[in-house]
Amino acid sequence: MSEQEILDLAEEFAHYRRTVLEEVEVPGPAAVRRTASRRGRRRLATTTATVLALFGGAAVGYATMNGPDREPGPVDPTPTPSARPSATATAATTASPSATASNGGASPTGAAPDGRISRAQLLAATVSLPAWNTPAECPTGRVRLGAEPARDDVNELVEVDHGDLDGDGATETVALVRCVFGTRGPFQVVAFDRDAAGRVVTLGRVTGTASPTPGWVTDLDVRDDGEIRVEVLDVAPGGGWPEKNSQRQWRGYRWAGDAFEQVSGPTSFGPNPRSTDLSVTATDVVLTAATDGSRSGAVTVRIRNEADRTAPEVILTMELPKALRPVGDGWTGCDIETGSTVQVSCRLSAVRGHSEVRRTLELGVATGASLPSGQAALRIWPADPDRDPWLDNDDSDNESTFDYR
């Protein structure tokens, strides 16, 4: 028998002595009936008290949690139990499940916060964006990210992936962000997490575009082991440069405790195989008159390849005044469009490394046409058979001018 049960039994005996013995009468038929009646009531009360002592705690607790609020009733003259619920049990009972749900996804105390942030949640949050490696016009600091279509002054959220980056057992978020809409970059890859209150916080910058390379970021993939794989290009597509001609690399990064470090893949690009180094010069045109009053002359274009690699094709463009027109067979393979000026675009043959080609192009002025002396410009660039441009390692000498008179 427990100490509490002994105390309860002692109280019952004391109650019996106080009430029953004081009412003892001389035996008689009436006294016997009264005594029997009182004993029956006491047996019922004792039985009821015992049942309540055994089951009352659980029953009352269950009723308190599940039943409606009740008005206070009479207090039974029974001793207050000395055992009390522990602080841990009380906290567990009173903790509201909605507290976790309302904090934006934070985990219970003791566990790492859940840093899985959806694309929609990132777009809705104000985030702290690390500084860009390039132009100052790229928004940084506390910013909002955007998704197309959006304002041109908002950074674009391109892609989102998730994984356990720091090994704490919780998921973090990695985002590929591009500088404001309408630009050719730059990009940066940023990792985000949540704090204990559920707020989005920046874990750190993973990588991004730089000068001179990489010029573009195309993809990211967070592996199960926490490594962040990022695909980068040496040259940004655009401006006539096709993405197919860029070199590609996958580079891997891991969290090192206070920053991300590259742990796999190449760290730099070699020379792009679709590159060369061309230069161009042109001779002046001296127009001579013919017997019919027309005038003609020729310009010799000299194209040199200073690199080891052959340029598969060379594209030559020039703009001429309307009165100065291409004539003769030297313009084979050229597209000529006449409007307010004459626009010329020619596909010339390959130029091997450390060699040069020359092409003489005849120009004429029709009888009666007036053409004052002037200057025309031309430009070249290397290209592949699809007429997509190659890189020129030094394009400062890819333009030239010639005088005509």
Side-chain angles (χ1 to χ4, degrees):
M1 181 178 294
S2 68
E3 180 181 357
Q4 183 62 50
E5 290 174 324
I6 293 173
L7 292 174
D8 292 343
L9 184 59
E11 177 63 24
E12 287 295 325
F13 275 115
H15 181 73
Y16 179 83
R17 285 193 299 270
R18 289 193 304 269
T19 59
V20 177
L21 295 182
E22 292 176 358
E23 299 178 3
V24 174
E25 300 181 23
V26 177
V32 171
R33 285 193 297 270
R34 287 195 300 271
T35 300
S37 175
R38 284 196 299 269
R39 289 176 178 172
R41 289 196 298 272
R42 282 196 294 273
R43 281 196 298 270
L44 177 60
T46 301
T47 303
T48 303
T50 303
V51 172
L52 290 176
L54 293 175
F55 301 103
V60 171
Y62 184 84
T64 302
M65 291 187 293
N66 295 278
D69 294 337
R70 299 182 180 181
E71 294 295 329
V75 179
D76 293 332
T78 55
T80 301
S82 60
R84 301 182 64 183
S86 66
T88 303
T90 302
T93 303
T94 58
S96 171
S98 63
T100 300
S102 64
N103 67 9
S107 299
T109 303
D114 181 11
R116 177 179 286 274
I117 306 164
S118 69
R119 177 180 175 85
Q121 289 170 331
L122 267 185
L123 291 172
T126 298
V127 300
S128 181
L129 200 63
W132 297 85
N133 282 341
T134 37
E137 60 266 23
C138 297
T140 188
R142 299 290 293 171
V143 300
R144 293 287 294 271
L145 303 177
E148 290 190 285
R151 302 193 316 271
D152 287 343
D153 60 345
V154 176
N155 294 320
E156 177 188 3
L157 178 59
V158 179
E159 187 176 352
V160 174
D161 203 358
H162 304 90
D164 184 1
L165 308 180
D166 52 11
D168 63 356
T171 299
E172 287 79 40
T173 300
V174 182
L176 176 59
V177 180
R178 178 163 55 185
C179 183
V180 294
F181 292 96
T183 68
R184 295 177 60 198
F187 286 87
Q188 62 174 314
V189 179
V190 184
F192 295 100
D193 200 355
R194 281 196 180 98
D195 61 16
R199 293 182 293 264
V200 176
V201 294
T202 301
L203 188 59
R205 172 189 171 96
V206 180
T207 187
T209 52
S211 180
T213 63
W216 200 254
V217 180
T218 60
D219 201 2
L220 67 86
D221 176 46
V222 181
R223 302 196 328 185
D224 292 341
D225 61 0
E227 181 177 334
I228 304 171
R229 302 269 292 165
V230 180
E231 186 182 40
V232 295
L233 306 183
D234 61 340
V235 182
W241 177 261
E243 185 175 315
K244 69 175 186 177
N245 285 351
S246 297
Q247 294 184 94
R248 296 174 178 266
Q249 291 178 354
W250 279 97
R251 301 178 181 180
Y253 301 84
R254 284 190 183 278
W255 178 248
D258 56 356
F260 287 95
E261 296 180 352
Q262 185 175 350
V263 295
S264 66
T267 59
S268 62
F269 286 97
N272 190 296
R274 298 175 178 84
S275 64
T276 187
D277 184 10
L278 301 180
S279 63
V280 62
T281 58
T283 61
D284 292 338
V285 177
V286 179
L287 299 170
T288 59
T291 56
D292 61 357
S294 63
R295 292 182 293 165
S296 65
V299 55
T300 299
V301 178
R302 174 178 173 265
I303 300 171
R304 180 162 181 81
N305 185 353
E306 303 289 352
D308 296 332
R309 193 172 293 108
T310 298
E313 284 191 1
V314 176
I315 307 298
L316 167 67
T317 61
M318 68 176 68
E319 183 177 17
L320 304 171
K322 188 173 183 179
L324 188 62
R325 301 195 175 196
V327 295
D329 296 334
W331 300 93
T332 302
C334 297
D335 295 326
I336 301 172
E337 295 183 3
T338 302
S340 58
T341 61
V342 179
Q343 301 289 332
V344 180
S345 176
C346 304
R347 299 178 65 175
L348 308 182
S349 59
V351 182
R352 296 191 305 272
H354 302 289
S355 65
E356 70 176 42
V357 296
R358 298 187 182 192
R359 189 155 183 175
T360 300
L361 303 170
E362 186 177 357
L363 297 166
V365 179
T367 302
S370 174
L371 178 68
S373 298
Q375 189 177 76
L378 55 84
R379 177 176 175 80
I380 63 167
W381 69 84
D384 62 20
D386 294 330
R387 209 176 183 183
D388 289 325
W390 274 26
L391 289 177
D392 195 298
N393 297 326
D394 178 13
D395 61 2
S396 63
D397 52 5
N398 285 30
E399 294 184 8
S400 185
T401 61
F402 62 91
D403 294 332
Y404 54 86
R405 57 185 183 273

